Amino acid sequence: MNIPFLGNRHKKSDAPVLPADREGVAELLSECDLLRSQAAQEGVRLDDSVTSLEALDQLLPRWRDDAEILPWLGNDAGLYLGTVIVRTVPGAYWGFQPSGQPVVRLASGREFDVVEAGHEWAANGVPELSQLYAEVAEA
């Protein structure tokens, strides 16, 4: 699979995404359709802000009863958390682990597996998305 803005997926490279490609990657990863749909049903508008993370943390976790939705929602929650970080924390950008898993990288070089965090949040409610954001924003 060779999509220009994702790079050659067959290479085992941890090279950063080129700046010209970052916007396309960020747009693709920000879709989070299932999470946006679930939030909208509860009257929560996801506007890529920190306050929207706080609103997500307050939702009743009705999805936990649906084994089919849970992993997809966890993935979307992680990508949404990453989207908010990339759009609001200076120097943050999307990168990829050698496995292809998207991660958020900070200007300091630290890397956060936001998808794993999203799965934890969807399954357990902790750590809260807004708490994770605060920890990353401080770093």
Side-chain angles (χ1 to χ4, degrees):
M1 180 176 184
N2 187 7
I3 300 173
F5 63 87
L6 291 180
N8 186 343
R9 306 268 295 166
H10 296 289
K11 288 183 182 175
K12 292 288 186 183
S13 171
D14 200 26
V17 176
L18 298 174
D21 297 330
R22 288 183 185 165
E23 190 173 315
V25 170
E27 190 64 33
L28 178 67
L29 295 177
S30 72
E31 290 181 4
C32 312
D33 291 335
L34 180 60
L35 180 69
R36 290 181 189 277
S37 171
Q38 293 280 324
Q41 288 176 11
E42 298 295 324
V44 174
R45 183 173 169 268
L46 301 184
D47 60 1
D48 302 344
S49 69
V50 179
T51 56
S52 66
L53 293 174
E54 294 167 354
L56 282 173
D57 289 335
Q58 301 304 313
L59 291 179
L60 289 175
R62 295 185 174 110
W63 57 84
R64 290 191 188 135
D65 296 330
D66 190 333
E68 287 185 32
I69 289 179
L70 185 62
W72 291 100
L73 192 73
N75 194 63
D76 274 11
L79 294 176
Y80 185 72
L81 170 62
T83 295
V84 174
I85 293 168
V86 167
R87 293 191 174 160
T88 61
V89 174
Y93 64 95
W94 286 106
F96 295 91
Q97 294 177 339
S99 66
Q101 174 93 345
V103 294
V104 170
R105 293 192 175 124
L106 301 180
S108 67
R110 289 190 63 197
E111 182 177 281
F112 294 92
D113 187 344
V114 291
V115 173
E116 182 179 320
H119 283 282
E120 286 292 319
W121 174 81
N124 305 313
V126 292
E128 292 181 339
L129 297 175
S130 58
Q131 177 187 352
L132 289 166
Y133 175 85
E135 291 171 14
V136 171
E138 283 181 4

